[in-house]
Amino acid sequence: MYLPIEILKEVGSYLSLADKNACIRVCYDWYEPFLQLLYTRIVIRSRHQFRLFYRAIQQSADIREPLGYYVKELLFEHSSSQRRHPVGLTRDELESFPNYFKNLQVLDFDPKLWSYMRYSDTFAQMKCVQRLPTFSRNMIFQPILENSVNVDLMSRLTYLSVSGEATEHLIHNNLTTSIWSRMPKLEQLIIQGTNYTQLNVKMIIALGAQLPRLKHLTLGCITLPLSDDDMCSTTRFPLFTSALSLTLDDVHLQNWRLITFLSLAFYHIEMLDFDVTFDWFYNDNVTIDLYEQSMDACMGFAQLCLYLKKVIFRRVNTSVFPFPYDAFFHEIADIHSDLVKVEMIDYAWWSTINPASSFKVATIQTGLLSKADLKFSWTGKKTDTALFKNLRFCPNLTKLDLDCDITLKHGFRLDLLLDNCPALKVLSISHAVITIGRSIEKACESRHGLRSLKFEESVLGDHLLDYLSRSCLKLDTLWITKCVQERPRRSSFIIISMPEHNFRSIRLNSLHLNPGGPSGKCEVSMSILSFYESTRYSSQTERKKKSEEKTKQNEKKNNMMSSTTPEMWRFYHVHKSEASNGYRQLRRLSTEEAVRIANFEMNEKKWKAIKNAPRRKSFTERFLWEKDIQFGAVLLLCKSVEQLKFNELTI
């Protein structure tokens, strides 16, 4: 059957790399479109992967249609928090890119690699490039900016990011008011300073006047001063007619009039992301009039931004109370009603006087909160009830990341949290004693729409997971990391029983028993998992019944048919393998080994042994698996699960 190329590419965009590679071999008509999909966007995650990719590009350079001509985006992974070292790139390899990748539009790698590079005229040969990595080194950025051979290169850029030496070169040489006319197609600009570099308002006016297509502007780690001669009668507002978002990342404002200036210059924006400091409140001449002027400026910002759809509130540092930016949220609630979504992240509520005030304002006054990333403090007279009262006024809250610095004596009431946040879909709790205050029989009375739940470095209260099993029937993601049971139990199992749940992802990492003692947990984590999936068992049972029916109908094949009983529980053990240089491996235990675990009984001597056991340095050898039984096992029961990980290993 013939399919148009447009449909093939649209369907192929949803396929994995392995599926695209298989589709290439179907027929000649599929070869070209799927080859383009396979090589259009390349993400390099390791140096070894890049060597293989680069070798294939070199070997195909002499054919009629080299593979490098299909590459439009080449990204070297460097922003992952788990990656200690970014993917490397040599100087010669970078200078060869214009020869091998004729149609390259996006190139991104770790900006630190510029330290090992040198400027080359070959950069000007990138005829299609629209985005380059963040320029952090002046010896690279200055020649690209000033050489006449790079005029075409600069005119094609739609993305530009400068930081460090490059930012200092722009500001100290007054280039920020003259170079932007060379980049008429620029749509996203990031200026990252060092040690709060001063960026004059005239430079921002030049951006608005010379960049007609600018949509996203980010200013980071800089200071915005404002003097009397910065503004003149010829300044036209709005400056940024095409801007959609403004991000102020750790920006110091030295004058309250800057708030008015930003509101006039950017009142077309749809997203505002700010982490700012009001410097004028830290001076000695703070008056009531200054406070009122600041409040009026914040109110005017909210009134002018008629197209605002999203506010990301990170932090506003000030030294007065009540905070003048409270008026901003109040106006947002009055003018925009439920059209604006407010997200609070990166400890947004923290201030000099009252840590919870700004959080209270964003919740009680607006009720528009859709996402919160909080580090709640239990110091003083604060209780979890105070937090719930604030969250009650946020009917739109769908995601909450709660980090508790000091655990409560009586625990954190998860059932009250879910009752006060009916729209909550994603919840993450860390460093807390998580409990429930109602009986399991009443759990069915409350139905919550929670879909994703993550516990990290927390203490799980009694019957907590049983309550979640009955009240959160839509739960499809469960991650439990570095957790322990609340009270000492004479059971060597942590039971997770959710027989009616179909999970997309379950991760169980570093779970511990609680044998009592001062530490409150066993230092050795569990390495045995017992897993029962009811859907799998049902399908096995159906296959067994069908095989028995066929056996009865055809007695000749009776000896060839297998009628073994399907296994209900599957047991796995994480062990250390010397063959793989000590890395962890996962092994499925046999039926006889599973019986030993099921019949294992703890006694006082064994409880005392695990209470005094030192921290685990590595997992045991495969043949010593029985020594890990005394440190407990996880019993997991669910209807089905797509992805299951135990101690970072996929089952």
Side-chain angles (χ1 to χ4, degrees):
M1 182 179 67
Y2 172 76
L3 290 176
I5 295 180
E6 292 78 9
I7 296 180
L8 284 176
K9 290 184 177 181
E10 181 66 24
V11 175
S13 62
Y14 297 95
L15 301 179
S16 63
L17 291 177
D19 294 335
K20 293 176 185 177
N21 202 9
C23 290
I24 286 179
R25 298 172 173 83
V26 172
C27 62
Y28 287 108
D29 293 335
W30 284 26
Y31 178 80
E32 180 91 14
F34 280 100
L35 185 66
Q36 294 179 8
L37 289 173
L38 195 62
Y39 281 93
T40 296
R41 188 175 189 271
I42 303 297
V43 180
I44 304 298
R45 295 182 172 85
S46 66
R47 180 62 187 172
H48 176 67
Q49 177 192 358
F50 177 70
R51 288 196 189 99
L52 297 178
F53 168 73
Y54 191 69
R55 187 184 307 165
I57 296 297
Q58 287 178 318
Q59 293 174 353
S60 67
D62 296 331
I63 64 177
R64 187 179 63 179
E65 295 183 356
L67 295 177
Y69 286 14
Y70 294 100
V71 179
K72 294 183 179 180
E73 298 182 18
L74 184 56
L75 310 175
F76 292 78
E77 192 173 81
H78 61 87
S79 60
S80 176
S81 59
Q82 298 179 353
R83 178 175 295 278
R84 182 177 300 178
H85 302 291
V87 180
L89 180 67
T90 66
R91 180 189 306 170
D92 294 335
E93 290 170 346
L94 177 61
E95 294 179 358
S96 68
F97 281 2
N99 299 326
Y100 292 131
F101 306 106
K102 297 291 186 179
N103 299 316
L104 187 64
Q105 297 178 1
V106 178
L107 175 62
D108 187 29
F109 53 76
D110 192 341
K112 296 179 181 178
L113 295 178
W114 283 123
S115 302
Y116 309 101
M117 305 298 177
R118 64 188 175 192
Y119 171 75
S120 175
D121 290 337
T122 57
F123 294 157
Q125 300 175 12
M126 296 183 179
K127 300 299 182 181
C128 301
V129 68
Q130 299 176 2
R131 172 176 175 174
L132 292 171
T134 301
F135 290 103
S136 58
R137 192 182 179 201
N138 190 33
M139 295 184 66
I140 299 290
F141 181 60
Q142 183 177 355
I144 292 179
L145 196 65
E146 298 177 356
N147 286 7
S148 59
V149 295
N150 298 315
V151 173
D152 293 339
L153 173 65
M154 300 299 291
S155 64
R156 288 190 300 269
L157 290 181
T158 60
Y159 173 96
L160 178 64
S161 176
V162 293
S163 66
E165 296 179 4
T167 303
E168 299 292 335
H169 174 73
L170 281 177
I171 296 176
H172 292 160
N173 292 277
N174 295 324
L175 295 176
T176 50
T177 58
S178 60
I179 68 168
W180 308 117
S181 58
R182 309 174 194 174
M183 301 175 243
K185 297 181 180 180
L186 200 63
E187 297 181 357
Q188 184 171 358
L189 175 61
I190 301 176
I191 301 177
Q192 189 74 23
T194 56
N195 198 18
Y196 302 105
T197 306
Q198 287 200 358
L199 184 64
N200 197 289
V201 171
K202 291 181 179 179
M203 303 177 185
I204 299 181
I205 295 175
L207 291 177
Q210 301 178 30
L211 297 178
R213 297 187 181 182
L214 189 64
K215 296 181 180 179
H216 310 282
L217 176 62
T218 300
L219 304 177
C221 196
I222 64 173
T223 300
L224 293 179
L226 182 65
S227 57
D228 295 336
D229 59 345
D230 285 339
M231 304 287 292
C232 62
S233 59
T234 59
T235 304
R236 296 182 179 181
F237 293 102
L239 294 173
F240 299 86
T241 55
S242 60
L244 298 178
S245 68
L246 173 64
T247 301
L248 303 176
D249 185 8
D250 196 9
V251 174
H252 284 242
L253 305 180
Q254 290 191 346
N255 194 307
W256 66 268
R257 292 182 178 87
L258 277 165
I259 303 177
T260 304
F261 168 76
L262 293 175
S263 63
L264 291 173
F266 294 94
Y267 68 75
H268 276 277
I269 60 173
E270 298 179 359
M271 190 195 77
L272 176 63
D273 183 348
F274 59 97
D275 174 359
V276 298
T277 299
F278 294 163
D279 285 353
W280 62 90
F281 283 125
Y282 292 91
N283 298 330
D284 296 333
N285 56 347
V286 178
T287 61
I288 297 296
D289 293 339
L290 183 62
Y291 174 80
E292 292 179 350
Q293 290 170 346
S294 303
M295 182 174 292
D296 292 340
C298 293
M299 293 174 61
F301 202 138
Q303 293 171 358
L304 285 174
C305 297
L306 300 177
Y307 305 97
L308 202 60
K309 296 180 180 179
K310 184 177 181 180
V311 177
I312 301 178
F313 179 34
R314 300 183 185 273
R315 182 179 59 214
V316 175
N317 290 330
T318 180
S319 62
V320 297
F321 181 80
F323 303 111
Y325 56 82
D326 293 356
F328 172 79
F329 289 109
H330 188 72
E331 290 296 318
I332 288 290
D334 291 344
I335 299 175
H336 300 277
S337 185
D338 294 335
L339 301 178
V340 177
K341 292 184 178 180
V342 179
E343 296 183 2
M344 296 182 59
I345 55 179
D346 295 345
Y347 316 142
W349 63 99
W350 187 258
S351 65
T352 308
I353 299 177
N354 189 349
S357 177
S358 57
F359 174 67
K360 183 178 180 181
V361 169
T363 55
I364 295 179
Q365 288 193 7
T366 69
L368 304 176
L369 199 64
S370 62
K371 176 183 176 182
D373 183 359
L374 307 179
K375 185 175 177 61
F376 199 77
S377 174
W378 303 114
T379 56
K381 297 182 180 180
K382 295 185 181 68
T383 62
D384 54 354
T385 307
L387 175 64
F388 300 147
K389 287 182 178 179
N390 289 340
L391 293 176
R392 189 191 315 163
F393 295 94
C394 302
N396 301 318
L397 185 64
T398 58
K399 183 177 180 180
L400 177 62
D401 189 350
L402 185 62
D403 186 2
C404 309
D405 57 351
I406 302 176
T407 56
L408 280 176
K409 180 185 297 185
H410 301 294
F412 179 87
R413 289 281 303 277
L414 182 61
D415 54 334
L416 289 181
L417 174 63
L418 296 177
D419 289 341
N420 286 276
C421 302
L424 197 63
K425 302 294 183 183
V426 180
L427 175 61
S428 176
I429 303 177
S430 56
H431 305 98
V433 179
I434 308 171
T435 62
I436 56 173
R438 62 187 64 173
S439 62
I440 301 299
E441 291 75 15
K442 296 182 179 180
C444 298
E445 299 177 1
S446 302
R447 298 294 186 184
H448 307 293
L450 194 66
R451 292 186 177 275
S452 176
L453 182 61
K454 300 178 183 179
F455 296 140
E456 184 175 358
E457 297 188 34
S458 299
V459 180
L460 307 181
D462 289 341
H463 309 297
L464 172 65
L465 297 175
D466 295 334
Y467 175 82
L468 293 173
S469 174
R470 300 188 182 187
S471 62
C472 302
L473 299 180
K474 297 182 180 180
L475 191 67
D476 58 10
T477 302
L478 179 63
W479 292 5
I480 305 178
T481 304
K482 299 179 182 178
C483 292
V484 65
Q485 299 178 104
E486 180 183 10
R487 297 178 182 177
R489 292 183 177 180
R490 293 308 181 216
S491 172
S492 59
F493 295 101
I494 290 183
I495 302 175
I496 304 175
S497 178
M498 298 186 178
E500 302 299 327
H501 288 68
N502 297 302
F503 285 98
R504 291 192 299 109
S505 175
I506 296 179
R507 294 187 183 182
L508 307 172
N509 301 320
S510 300
L511 303 185
H512 303 262
L513 287 177
N514 186 0
S519 61
K521 69 174 184 179
C522 173
E523 295 295 338
V524 181
S525 60
M526 297 180 180
S527 62
I528 296 177
L529 171 67
S530 178
F531 176 46
Y532 173 75
E533 191 177 17
S534 58
T535 303
R536 179 186 179 93
Y537 179 71
S538 300
S539 61
Q540 288 180 341
T541 305
E542 290 295 329
R543 288 197 299 268
K544 179 178 178 296
K545 291 181 179 179
K546 291 181 180 179
S547 64
E548 290 178 349
E549 292 176 359
K550 291 181 179 180
T551 302
K552 294 178 180 179
Q553 295 175 0
N554 191 356
E555 295 181 356
K556 295 181 180 180
K557 299 181 179 180
N558 188 31
N559 296 330
M560 301 176 58
M561 302 300 293
S562 175
S563 60
T564 58
T565 303
E567 297 182 68
M568 296 179 60
W569 291 89
R570 289 174 286 164
F571 286 78
Y572 299 90
H573 176 243
V574 179
H575 65 92
K576 180 181 67 174
S577 175
E578 294 294 342
S580 58
N581 298 325
Y583 288 104
R584 290 175 294 177
Q585 288 189 343
L586 192 69
R587 179 176 70 95
R588 181 174 176 179
L589 301 178
S590 63
T591 304
E592 293 77 11
E593 293 171 330
V595 170
R596 297 184 195 178
I597 298 175
N599 296 331
F600 183 81
E601 295 183 1
M602 297 289 290
N603 52 41
E604 292 296 332
K605 183 178 180 181
K606 294 177 181 177
W607 279 113
K608 185 177 180 180
I610 67 172
K611 183 190 299 185
N612 300 325
R615 186 182 300 271
R616 185 197 293 275
K617 295 182 179 180
S618 62
F619 289 89
T620 59
E621 298 288 346
R622 176 172 178 169
F623 64 92
L624 298 175
W625 70 274
E626 288 187 79
K627 291 186 177 181
D628 281 331
I629 300 179
Q630 61 181 343
F631 297 115
V634 181
L635 299 185
L636 174 61
L637 169 63
C638 65
K639 192 172 184 179
S640 65
V641 58
E642 296 180 10
Q643 184 185 55
L644 174 60
K645 286 190 175 183
F646 179 61
N647 288 335
E648 303 295 344
L649 298 177
T650 302
I651 297 179

